[in-house]
Amino acid sequence: METLERPALEALQLQRLQDTVRRVERVPFYRKKFLATGLKAEDIQCADDLRRLPFTTAADLRENYPDGLLAVSRDEVLRLHTSSGTTGKPKALFFSRRDLDNAAELLARAFCMTGVTRSDVFQNMMSYGLFTGGLMMHYGAEKIGCLVIPSGPGTSERQLMLMQDFRTTVVHITPSYCFYFADFLEKKGINPRKDLALRKAFVGAEPYTEETCRKIEAALGVDVYNSYGLTEMNGPGVAFECEHKSGLHLWEDNFVLEVIHPITGEPVKDGETGELVLTSINREAMPLLRYRTRDLTSIIPGTCPCGRTHRRIHRITGRSDDMLIVRGVNIFPQQIERVLMALPQIGRNYVIQLDGLDDLTVTVELSPSAFDGEVGHLAQLQNQIAEKLRAELWVRPKVDLVAAGSLPVAEGKARRVIDKRSI
Ligand code: AMP
Ligand code: ZN
């Protein structure tokens, strides 16, 4: 399936798309939309017909909470996962037996393509529960036959004990926790390269830059693979880096991929950044048509040297709803992260805060070895960072430098932006 020739892959996509449209005709929400446009499943005859289908948004999921978008009877569902947004009810997603099996299959592909085998010991440091990062990844690893340690986020002491006692080789972890854990190891005097068997990390669940990825590789002595997914589309395993790490292969036999202009809704060219829109074409319980992920990425043109035919997307550079408007300028938190992580004097954690009318403050941890005790040097560094940020953002933020380890670390997804503006 991973190397299926494009014409065969596209034929399979079309057939699965037609089946999916037929399936969602049972869902009142979609039936109403189809009625409004006069669309029928038979009308979907080529890839371009996809654009005749309606978009589905996070708001649609919330409005149809708890089970308005379910396309099968309640008896056919085996599992519920949720994803919480910023306000109100979570998004509830249902999975049938076949859906769960397929989700595990896609993750098994990811494990295989990053070189994980049954001899590996996989420690899943993501939260088990309503969040998909725990259970979904767990079943993927079991399909490969690794020894799975379902540690969950837990305390660093316990993570380390398990890693040492069972010789963990692969971890699944968020970028922010990576840094926290690296600091913890440093304090304990543990050198991960010498003292642990770790060799790979699947890092995802939140956006991070190439620079952060390099820092994690250096700090933990592991090979990092970017893991992308969202609950609406199974959770992790939607797109994953292969051994070439030149973008993430998105499993097109399960998802139809579009990248659109977030405002006009029109497709953007390959290589251009836009919003990722996904249609799940291999889901029974709750397929979604043209789901607006809000994640910003681009399609990487050309083929991958690994031989997989599924197209690749660029690492997510942010979310269209993450954009901050500061003094009329559009700023993405990722731009700030890119500048900070490229500086050797900068540590591993940062927070962006907006106050008053439009005052932007970036608080960053220094790397433990960066400060020589000279206050003058600190002011110089502060100024240098503010200038670099101004060149990138066109707005000069106030920069606060703090000691390594002094900013709070989230157990789940990191909260990087605190917006306290009065308007
Ligand atoms: P959830 O459904 O709660 O697991 O959240 C899914 C969201 O997390 C996605 O829509 C992305 O915004 C973000 N996300 C997940 N994996 C990645 C990744 N590898 N890079 C960037 N963002 C990610
Ligand atoms: Zn590849």
Side-chain angles (χ1 to χ4, degrees), residues 323-366:
M323 192 179 77
L324 303 166
I325 304 182
V326 181
R327 293 173 218 158
V329 178
N330 299 347
I331 295 177
F332 284 99
Q334 299 298 297
Q335 289 176 279
I336 298 179
E337 179 176 314
R338 213 164 44 229
V339 170
L340 297 178
M341 293 300 155
L343 294 165
Q345 304 94 325
I346 292 307
R348 295 158 179 174
N349 205 351
Y350 68 94
V351 173
I352 300 163
Q353 183 159 331
L354 286 149
D355 297 280
L357 288 180
D358 253 348
D359 300 325
L360 175 64
T361 307
V362 179
T363 308
V364 275
E365 288 183 1
L366 282 167

mmCIF file of all heavy atoms in Angstrom, residues 323-366:
data_model
loop_
_atom_site.group_PDB
_atom_site.id
_atom_site.type_symbol
_atom_site.label_atom_id
_atom_site.label_comp_id
_atom_site.label_asym_id
_atom_site.label_seq_id
_atom_site.Cartn_x
_atom_site.Cartn_y
_atom_site.Cartn_z
ATOM 1 N N MET A 323 -2.673 32.769 14.783
ATOM 2 C CA MET A 323 -2.046 34.001 14.336
ATOM 3 C C MET A 323 -2.369 35.147 15.289
ATOM 4 O O MET A 323 -3.520 35.324 15.679
ATOM 5 C CB MET A 323 -2.525 34.342 12.929
ATOM 6 C CG MET A 323 -1.714 35.431 12.288
ATOM 7 S SD MET A 323 -2.288 35.769 10.632
ATOM 8 C CE MET A 323 -3.749 36.721 11.002
ATOM 9 N N LEU A 324 -1.334 35.874 15.672
ATOM 10 C CA LEU A 324 -1.538 37.022 16.551
ATOM 11 C C LEU A 324 -1.436 38.270 15.688
ATOM 12 O O LEU A 324 -0.586 38.341 14.805
ATOM 13 C CB LEU A 324 -0.427 37.072 17.598
ATOM 14 C CG LEU A 324 -0.247 35.843 18.466
ATOM 15 C CD1 LEU A 324 1.087 35.923 19.197
ATOM 16 C CD2 LEU A 324 -1.391 35.769 19.475
ATOM 17 N N ILE A 325 -2.291 39.211 15.956
ATOM 18 C CA ILE A 325 -2.127 40.482 15.247
ATOM 19 C C ILE A 325 -1.618 41.485 16.263
ATOM 20 O O ILE A 325 -2.296 41.796 17.237
ATOM 21 C CB ILE A 325 -3.441 40.937 14.584
ATOM 22 C CG1 ILE A 325 -3.923 39.812 13.657
ATOM 23 C CG2 ILE A 325 -3.233 42.236 13.804
ATOM 24 C CD1 ILE A 325 -5.189 40.136 12.900
ATOM 25 N N VAL A 326 -0.368 41.903 16.077
ATOM 26 C CA VAL A 326 0.259 42.818 17.019
ATOM 27 C C VAL A 326 0.609 44.092 16.266
ATOM 28 O O VAL A 326 1.389 44.055 15.307
ATOM 29 C CB VAL A 326 1.528 42.186 17.631
ATOM 30 C CG1 VAL A 326 2.176 43.137 18.625
ATOM 31 C CG2 VAL A 326 1.185 40.859 18.314
ATOM 32 N N ARG A 327 0.037 45.167 16.683
ATOM 33 C CA ARG A 327 0.221 46.463 16.018
ATOM 34 C C ARG A 327 0.031 46.331 14.509
ATOM 35 O O ARG A 327 0.835 46.770 13.707
ATOM 36 C CB ARG A 327 1.598 47.051 16.330
ATOM 37 C CG ARG A 327 1.701 47.419 17.800
ATOM 38 C CD ARG A 327 3.100 47.842 18.176
ATOM 39 N NE ARG A 327 3.426 47.347 19.492
ATOM 40 C CZ ARG A 327 4.649 47.168 19.943
ATOM 41 N NH1 ARG A 327 5.677 47.430 19.175
ATOM 42 N NH2 ARG A 327 4.857 46.716 21.150
ATOM 43 N N GLY A 328 -1.005 45.598 14.154
ATOM 44 C CA GLY A 328 -1.359 45.479 12.740
ATOM 45 C C GLY A 328 -0.531 44.465 11.967
ATOM 46 O O GLY A 328 -0.777 44.215 10.795
ATOM 47 N N VAL A 329 0.450 43.835 12.626
ATOM 48 C CA VAL A 329 1.310 42.889 11.928
ATOM 49 C C VAL A 329 0.891 41.453 12.300
ATOM 50 O O VAL A 329 0.620 41.169 13.467
ATOM 51 C CB VAL A 329 2.793 43.119 12.320
ATOM 52 C CG1 VAL A 329 3.700 42.111 11.636
ATOM 53 C CG2 VAL A 329 3.208 44.535 11.997
ATOM 54 N N ASN A 330 0.843 40.582 11.302
ATOM 55 C CA ASN A 330 0.497 39.178 11.575
ATOM 56 C C ASN A 330 1.731 38.425 12.057
ATOM 57 O O ASN A 330 2.759 38.415 11.386
ATOM 58 C CB ASN A 330 0.006 38.490 10.301
ATOM 59 C CG ASN A 330 -1.233 39.152 9.761
ATOM 60 O OD1 ASN A 330 -1.859 39.954 10.447
ATOM 61 N ND2 ASN A 330 -1.588 38.817 8.541
ATOM 62 N N ILE A 331 1.592 37.785 13.197
ATOM 63 C CA ILE A 331 2.732 37.059 13.780
ATOM 64 C C ILE A 331 2.302 35.648 14.142
ATOM 65 O O ILE A 331 1.244 35.453 14.749
ATOM 66 C CB ILE A 331 3.241 37.784 15.058
ATOM 67 C CG1 ILE A 331 3.816 39.161 14.680
ATOM 68 C CG2 ILE A 331 4.273 36.950 15.796
ATOM 69 C CD1 ILE A 331 4.271 39.970 15.871
ATOM 70 N N PHE A 332 3.124 34.672 13.776
ATOM 71 C CA PHE A 332 2.874 33.299 14.215
ATOM 72 C C PHE A 332 3.879 32.935 15.305
ATOM 73 O O PHE A 332 5.068 33.221 15.160
ATOM 74 C CB PHE A 332 3.012 32.322 13.040
ATOM 75 C CG PHE A 332 1.835 32.367 12.121
ATOM 76 C CD1 PHE A 332 1.880 33.090 10.951
ATOM 77 C CD2 PHE A 332 0.660 31.706 12.455
ATOM 78 C CE1 PHE A 332 0.778 33.154 10.119
ATOM 79 C CE2 PHE A 332 -0.447 31.768 11.633
ATOM 80 C CZ PHE A 332 -0.390 32.487 10.462
ATOM 81 N N PRO A 333 3.426 32.288 16.378
ATOM 82 C CA PRO A 333 4.353 31.924 17.452
ATOM 83 C C PRO A 333 5.570 31.136 16.941
ATOM 84 O O PRO A 333 6.664 31.254 17.479
ATOM 85 C CB PRO A 333 3.498 31.055 18.381
ATOM 86 C CG PRO A 333 2.086 31.460 18.108
ATOM 87 C CD PRO A 333 2.041 31.920 16.690
ATOM 88 N N GLN A 334 5.368 30.364 15.877
ATOM 89 C CA GLN A 334 6.479 29.572 15.337
ATOM 90 C C GLN A 334 7.626 30.431 14.823
ATOM 91 O O GLN A 334 8.771 30.004 14.820
ATOM 92 C CB GLN A 334 5.995 28.688 14.176
ATOM 93 C CG GLN A 334 4.927 27.701 14.567
ATOM 94 C CD GLN A 334 5.410 26.729 15.592
ATOM 95 O OE1 GLN A 334 6.320 25.963 15.340
ATOM 96 N NE2 GLN A 334 4.826 26.766 16.779
ATOM 97 N N GLN A 335 7.304 31.632 14.358
ATOM 98 C CA GLN A 335 8.374 32.518 13.871
ATOM 99 C C GLN A 335 9.287 32.870 15.035
ATOM 100 O O GLN A 335 10.498 32.926 14.903
ATOM 101 C CB GLN A 335 7.780 33.822 13.325
ATOM 102 C CG GLN A 335 7.038 33.676 12.035
ATOM 103 C CD GLN A 335 6.422 35.029 11.674
ATOM 104 O OE1 GLN A 335 5.380 35.392 12.196
ATOM 105 N NE2 GLN A 335 7.092 35.774 10.811
ATOM 106 N N ILE A 336 8.675 33.122 16.190
ATOM 107 C CA ILE A 336 9.450 33.480 17.383
ATOM 108 C C ILE A 336 10.298 32.288 17.816
ATOM 109 O O ILE A 336 11.489 32.415 18.093
ATOM 110 C CB ILE A 336 8.497 33.954 18.507
ATOM 111 C CG1 ILE A 336 7.766 35.214 18.032
ATOM 112 C CG2 ILE A 336 9.238 34.158 19.818
ATOM 113 C CD1 ILE A 336 6.774 35.797 19.005
ATOM 114 N N GLU A 337 9.681 31.110 17.805
ATOM 115 C CA GLU A 337 10.412 29.904 18.224
ATOM 116 C C GLU A 337 11.634 29.670 17.330
ATOM 117 O O GLU A 337 12.708 29.307 17.802
ATOM 118 C CB GLU A 337 9.480 28.687 18.185
ATOM 119 C CG GLU A 337 10.201 27.420 18.594
ATOM 120 C CD GLU A 337 9.300 26.200 18.674
ATOM 121 O OE1 GLU A 337 8.209 26.308 19.245
ATOM 122 O OE2 GLU A 337 9.708 25.145 18.159
ATOM 123 N N ARG A 338 11.442 29.881 16.028
ATOM 124 C CA ARG A 338 12.547 29.638 15.089
ATOM 125 C C ARG A 338 13.747 30.529 15.420
ATOM 126 O O ARG A 338 14.881 30.061 15.454
ATOM 127 C CB ARG A 338 12.051 29.906 13.663
ATOM 128 C CG ARG A 338 12.707 29.010 12.661
ATOM 129 C CD ARG A 338 11.987 28.976 11.331
ATOM 130 N NE ARG A 338 11.592 30.273 10.871
ATOM 131 C CZ ARG A 338 10.364 30.571 10.434
ATOM 132 N NH1 ARG A 338 9.426 29.654 10.428
ATOM 133 N NH2 ARG A 338 10.085 31.771 9.988
ATOM 134 N N VAL A 339 13.480 31.782 15.698
ATOM 135 C CA VAL A 339 14.575 32.708 16.023
ATOM 136 C C VAL A 339 15.244 32.275 17.333
ATOM 137 O O VAL A 339 16.467 32.174 17.422
ATOM 138 C CB VAL A 339 14.038 34.159 16.146
ATOM 139 C CG1 VAL A 339 15.097 35.081 16.717
ATOM 140 C CG2 VAL A 339 13.547 34.650 14.796
ATOM 141 N N LEU A 340 14.441 31.988 18.345
ATOM 142 C CA LEU A 340 14.998 31.665 19.663
ATOM 143 C C LEU A 340 15.832 30.392 19.632
ATOM 144 O O LEU A 340 16.944 30.351 20.162
ATOM 145 C CB LEU A 340 13.869 31.498 20.690
ATOM 146 C CG LEU A 340 13.012 32.734 20.975
ATOM 147 C CD1 LEU A 340 11.914 32.387 21.972
ATOM 148 C CD2 LEU A 340 13.881 33.864 21.511
ATOM 149 N N MET A 341 15.298 29.350 18.999
ATOM 150 C CA MET A 341 15.970 28.056 19.070
ATOM 151 C C MET A 341 17.257 28.007 18.254
ATOM 152 O O MET A 341 18.057 27.098 18.404
ATOM 153 C CB MET A 341 15.018 26.929 18.649
ATOM 154 C CG MET A 341 13.887 26.737 19.633
ATOM 155 S SD MET A 341 14.521 26.328 21.284
ATOM 156 C CE MET A 341 13.201 26.875 22.328
ATOM 157 N N ALA A 342 17.429 28.977 17.365
ATOM 158 C CA ALA A 342 18.665 29.004 16.582
ATOM 159 C C ALA A 342 19.807 29.656 17.378
ATOM 160 O O ALA A 342 20.952 29.646 16.959
ATOM 161 C CB ALA A 342 18.431 29.749 15.275
ATOM 162 N N LEU A 343 19.496 30.227 18.545
ATOM 163 C CA LEU A 343 20.530 30.904 19.333
ATOM 164 C C LEU A 343 21.101 29.966 20.396
ATOM 165 O O LEU A 343 20.355 29.437 21.217
ATOM 166 C CB LEU A 343 19.923 32.134 20.033
ATOM 167 C CG LEU A 343 19.458 33.251 19.101
ATOM 168 C CD1 LEU A 343 18.562 34.231 19.840
ATOM 169 C CD2 LEU A 343 20.678 33.975 18.535
ATOM 170 N N PRO A 344 22.415 29.766 20.399
ATOM 171 C CA PRO A 344 23.003 28.815 21.356
ATOM 172 C C PRO A 344 22.827 29.230 22.815
ATOM 173 O O PRO A 344 22.796 28.382 23.700
ATOM 174 C CB PRO A 344 24.487 28.781 20.970
ATOM 175 C CG PRO A 344 24.722 30.005 20.141
ATOM 176 C CD PRO A 344 23.417 30.367 19.509
ATOM 177 N N GLN A 345 22.703 30.557 23.053
ATOM 178 C CA GLN A 345 22.607 31.009 24.458
ATOM 179 C C GLN A 345 21.231 30.748 25.038
ATOM 180 O O GLN A 345 20.999 30.906 26.234
ATOM 181 C CB GLN A 345 22.864 32.517 24.577
ATOM 182 C CG GLN A 345 24.172 32.995 24.013
ATOM 183 C CD GLN A 345 23.995 33.477 22.571
ATOM 184 O OE1 GLN A 345 23.199 32.934 21.809
ATOM 185 N NE2 GLN A 345 24.758 34.487 22.192
ATOM 186 N N ILE A 346 20.282 30.380 24.174
ATOM 187 C CA ILE A 346 18.904 30.231 24.621
ATOM 188 C C ILE A 346 18.626 28.796 25.027
ATOM 189 O O ILE A 346 19.066 27.849 24.378
ATOM 190 C CB ILE A 346 17.952 30.699 23.486
ATOM 191 C CG1 ILE A 346 18.096 32.200 23.305
ATOM 192 C CG2 ILE A 346 16.511 30.328 23.763
ATOM 193 C CD1 ILE A 346 17.920 32.991 24.575
ATOM 194 N N GLY A 347 17.890 28.674 26.134
ATOM 195 C CA GLY A 347 17.570 27.347 26.661
ATOM 196 C C GLY A 347 16.392 26.731 25.957
ATOM 197 O O GLY A 347 16.249 26.862 24.741
ATOM 198 N N ARG A 348 15.505 26.099 26.718
ATOM 199 C CA ARG A 348 14.547 25.217 26.091
ATOM 200 C C ARG A 348 13.097 25.601 26.232
ATOM 201 O O ARG A 348 12.232 24.914 25.747
ATOM 202 C CB ARG A 348 14.762 23.815 26.674
ATOM 203 C CG ARG A 348 16.112 23.300 26.297
ATOM 204 C CD ARG A 348 16.592 22.231 27.234
ATOM 205 N NE ARG A 348 17.891 21.760 26.792
ATOM 206 C CZ ARG A 348 18.639 20.907 27.461
ATOM 207 N NH1 ARG A 348 18.209 20.436 28.613
ATOM 208 N NH2 ARG A 348 19.791 20.530 26.998
ATOM 209 N N ASN A 349 12.809 26.648 26.933
ATOM 210 C CA ASN A 349 11.400 26.969 27.150
ATOM 211 C C ASN A 349 11.189 28.468 26.954
ATOM 212 O O ASN A 349 12.080 29.271 27.251
ATOM 213 C CB ASN A 349 10.998 26.541 28.572
ATOM 214 C CG ASN A 349 9.518 26.267 28.679
ATOM 215 O OD1 ASN A 349 8.740 26.547 27.766
ATOM 216 N ND2 ASN A 349 9.103 25.739 29.819
ATOM 217 N N TYR A 350 10.019 28.816 26.478
ATOM 218 C CA TYR A 350 9.714 30.229 26.275
ATOM 219 C C TYR A 350 8.216 30.456 26.375
ATOM 220 O O TYR A 350 7.426 29.520 26.212
ATOM 221 C CB TYR A 350 10.229 30.708 24.914
ATOM 222 C CG TYR A 350 9.473 30.092 23.761
ATOM 223 C CD1 TYR A 350 8.385 30.750 23.176
ATOM 224 C CD2 TYR A 350 9.818 28.844 23.276
ATOM 225 C CE1 TYR A 350 7.673 30.165 22.135
ATOM 226 C CE2 TYR A 350 9.110 28.254 22.239
ATOM 227 C CZ TYR A 350 8.047 28.921 21.673
ATOM 228 O OH TYR A 350 7.334 28.337 20.668
ATOM 229 N N VAL A 351 7.832 31.707 26.647
ATOM 230 C CA VAL A 351 6.418 32.082 26.704
ATOM 231 C C VAL A 351 6.265 33.432 26.010
ATOM 232 O O VAL A 351 7.122 34.307 26.138
ATOM 233 C CB VAL A 351 5.931 32.204 28.172
ATOM 234 C CG1 VAL A 351 4.521 32.768 28.230
ATOM 235 C CG2 VAL A 351 5.972 30.869 28.879
ATOM 236 N N ILE A 352 5.169 33.553 25.262
ATOM 237 C CA ILE A 352 4.893 34.817 24.570
ATOM 238 C C ILE A 352 3.697 35.443 25.277
ATOM 239 O O ILE A 352 2.666 34.789 25.436
ATOM 240 C CB ILE A 352 4.525 34.528 23.095
ATOM 241 C CG1 ILE A 352 5.688 33.811 22.400
ATOM 242 C CG2 ILE A 352 4.125 35.808 22.373
ATOM 243 C CD1 ILE A 352 5.291 33.129 21.105
ATOM 244 N N GLN A 353 3.857 36.681 25.716
ATOM 245 C CA GLN A 353 2.732 37.307 26.409
ATOM 246 C C GLN A 353 2.358 38.643 25.774
ATOM 247 O O GLN A 353 3.218 39.417 25.361
ATOM 248 C CB GLN A 353 3.085 37.502 27.890
ATOM 249 C CG GLN A 353 1.899 38.074 28.649
ATOM 250 C CD GLN A 353 1.985 37.819 30.147
ATOM 251 O OE1 GLN A 353 2.578 36.830 30.589
ATOM 252 N NE2 GLN A 353 1.385 38.698 30.927
ATOM 253 N N LEU A 354 1.052 38.868 25.688
ATOM 254 C CA LEU A 354 0.558 40.135 25.159
ATOM 255 C C LEU A 354 -0.220 40.835 26.244
ATOM 256 O O LEU A 354 -1.074 40.241 26.903
ATOM 257 C CB LEU A 354 -0.359 39.860 23.961
ATOM 258 C CG LEU A 354 0.427 39.448 22.722
ATOM 259 C CD1 LEU A 354 -0.378 38.509 21.864
ATOM 260 C CD2 LEU A 354 0.858 40.666 21.943
ATOM 261 N N ASP A 355 0.109 42.110 26.478
ATOM 262 C CA ASP A 355 -0.577 42.875 27.518
ATOM 263 C C ASP A 355 -1.021 44.226 26.975
ATOM 264 O O ASP A 355 -0.613 44.611 25.871
ATOM 265 C CB ASP A 355 0.386 43.184 28.675
ATOM 266 C CG ASP A 355 0.879 41.949 29.357
ATOM 267 O OD1 ASP A 355 0.150 41.406 30.176
ATOM 268 O OD2 ASP A 355 2.020 41.523 29.035
ATOM 269 N N GLY A 356 -1.771 44.907 27.821
ATOM 270 C CA GLY A 356 -2.164 46.287 27.512
ATOM 271 C C GLY A 356 -2.831 46.381 26.162
ATOM 272 O O GLY A 356 -3.692 45.581 25.831
ATOM 273 N N LEU A 357 -2.405 47.331 25.372
ATOM 274 C CA LEU A 357 -2.994 47.461 24.046
ATOM 275 C C LEU A 357 -2.360 46.441 23.114
ATOM 276 O O LEU A 357 -3.040 45.617 22.525
ATOM 277 C CB LEU A 357 -2.798 48.884 23.517
ATOM 278 C CG LEU A 357 -3.657 49.923 24.219
ATOM 279 C CD1 LEU A 357 -3.426 51.302 23.645
ATOM 280 C CD2 LEU A 357 -5.152 49.582 24.116
ATOM 281 N N ASP A 358 -1.062 46.477 22.997
ATOM 282 C CA ASP A 358 -0.399 45.559 22.079
ATOM 283 C C ASP A 358 1.058 45.353 22.481
ATOM 284 O O ASP A 358 1.948 45.386 21.647
ATOM 285 C CB ASP A 358 -0.449 46.138 20.652
ATOM 286 C CG ASP A 358 -1.447 45.393 19.770
ATOM 287 O OD1 ASP A 358 -1.903 44.318 20.199
ATOM 288 O OD2 ASP A 358 -1.754 45.888 18.682
ATOM 289 N N ASP A 359 1.301 45.157 23.774
ATOM 290 C CA ASP A 359 2.685 44.988 24.212
ATOM 291 C C ASP A 359 3.077 43.533 24.169
ATOM 292 O O ASP A 359 2.476 42.698 24.840
ATOM 293 C CB ASP A 359 2.855 45.529 25.644
ATOM 294 C CG ASP A 359 2.512 47.002 25.716
ATOM 295 O OD1 ASP A 359 2.813 47.701 24.723
ATOM 296 O OD2 ASP A 359 1.918 47.443 26.719
ATOM 297 N N LEU A 360 4.101 43.263 23.391
ATOM 298 C CA LEU A 360 4.548 41.886 23.194
ATOM 299 C C LEU A 360 5.797 41.635 24.042
ATOM 300 O O LEU A 360 6.792 42.347 23.913
ATOM 301 C CB LEU A 360 4.862 41.683 21.702
ATOM 302 C CG LEU A 360 5.446 40.358 21.261
ATOM 303 C CD1 LEU A 360 4.462 39.217 21.515
ATOM 304 C CD2 LEU A 360 5.791 40.410 19.765
ATOM 305 N N THR A 361 5.707 40.638 24.914
ATOM 306 C CA THR A 361 6.878 40.269 25.716
ATOM 307 C C THR A 361 7.212 38.812 25.459
ATOM 308 O O THR A 361 6.339 37.953 25.501
ATOM 309 C CB THR A 361 6.594 40.431 27.234
ATOM 310 O OG1 THR A 361 6.105 41.743 27.455
ATOM 311 C CG2 THR A 361 7.829 40.195 28.065
ATOM 312 N N VAL A 362 8.479 38.544 25.206
ATOM 313 C CA VAL A 362 8.921 37.161 25.023
ATOM 314 C C VAL A 362 9.828 36.822 26.201
ATOM 315 O O VAL A 362 10.859 37.459 26.402
ATOM 316 C CB VAL A 362 9.678 37.008 23.685
ATOM 317 C CG1 VAL A 362 10.155 35.584 23.507
ATOM 318 C CG2 VAL A 362 8.798 37.429 22.517
ATOM 319 N N THR A 363 9.395 35.864 26.999
ATOM 320 C CA THR A 363 10.205 35.444 28.144
ATOM 321 C C THR A 363 10.887 34.131 27.773
ATOM 322 O O THR A 363 10.206 33.174 27.394
ATOM 323 C CB THR A 363 9.318 35.239 29.387
ATOM 324 O OG1 THR A 363 8.538 36.420 29.557
ATOM 325 C CG2 THR A 363 10.129 34.986 30.630
ATOM 326 N N VAL A 364 12.207 34.108 27.866
ATOM 327 C CA VAL A 364 12.920 32.882 27.471
ATOM 328 C C VAL A 364 13.901 32.437 28.522
ATOM 329 O O VAL A 364 14.524 33.263 29.193
ATOM 330 C CB VAL A 364 13.734 33.054 26.156
ATOM 331 C CG1 VAL A 364 12.888 32.832 24.968
ATOM 332 C CG2 VAL A 364 14.454 34.354 26.096
ATOM 333 N N GLU A 365 14.055 31.138 28.602
ATOM 334 C CA GLU A 365 15.050 30.588 29.523
ATOM 335 C C GLU A 365 16.415 30.627 28.849
ATOM 336 O O GLU A 365 16.539 30.308 27.664
ATOM 337 C CB GLU A 365 14.704 29.134 29.861
ATOM 338 C CG GLU A 365 13.502 29.015 30.761
ATOM 339 C CD GLU A 365 13.225 27.567 31.151
ATOM 340 O OE1 GLU A 365 13.981 26.659 30.744
ATOM 341 O OE2 GLU A 365 12.238 27.349 31.859
ATOM 342 N N LEU A 366 17.423 30.982 29.632
ATOM 343 C CA LEU A 366 18.798 30.937 29.132
ATOM 344 C C LEU A 366 19.294 29.499 29.179
ATOM 345 O O LEU A 366 18.833 28.707 30.004
ATOM 346 C CB LEU A 366 19.690 31.775 30.042
ATOM 347 C CG LEU A 366 19.609 33.279 29.850
ATOM 348 C CD1 LEU A 366 20.295 33.972 31.013
ATOM 349 C CD2 LEU A 366 20.265 33.673 28.533
#
